[in-house]
């Protein structure tokens, strides 16, 4: 029964920007920070620890084009 319980205690915020080179190509950048509180089943913890009361930073950069 414990395997079917869901626990979520996390919050995130993000900021991003994009630049269009033309009508068919775009460069996008985003920074997101997620804070995990007591526990979250959405984050995989390492085998030797946990993610309780930690921040996770993610930076993404992508280039999109249409051909």
């Amino acid at each position: 029964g414990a395997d079917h319980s869901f626990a979520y205690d996390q919050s995130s915020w993000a900021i991003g920007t994009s630049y269009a080179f033309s009508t068919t190509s775009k460069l996008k950048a985003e920074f997101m920070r997620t804070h995990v509180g007591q526990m979250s089943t959405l984050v995989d913890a390492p085998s030797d620890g946990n993610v309780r009361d930690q921040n996770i930073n993610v930076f993404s950069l992508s280039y999109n084009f249409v051909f």
Side-chain angles (χ1 to χ4, degrees):
D3 290 338
H4 298 289
S5 65
F6 300 102
Y8 308 110
D9 181 15
Q10 72 182 49
S11 60
S12 299
W13 64 267
I15 187 167
T17 188
S18 66
Y19 178 77
F21 293 106
S22 67
T23 57
T24 60
S25 65
K26 185 180 283 191
L27 181 67
K28 297 190 288 186
E30 181 183 58
F31 175 76
M32 180 177 65
R33 179 173 214 152
T34 300
H35 176 75
V36 177
Q38 292 298 313
M39 67 173 47
S40 177
T41 55
L42 298 174
V43 178
D44 291 331
S47 61
D48 60 345
N50 62 36
V51 292
R52 177 181 289 172
D53 294 322
Q54 292 195 21
N55 295 316
I56 301 169
N57 298 320
V58 177
F59 179 75
S60 63
L61 182 67
S62 63
Y63 177 72
N64 302 306
F65 61 93
V66 177
F67 56 93

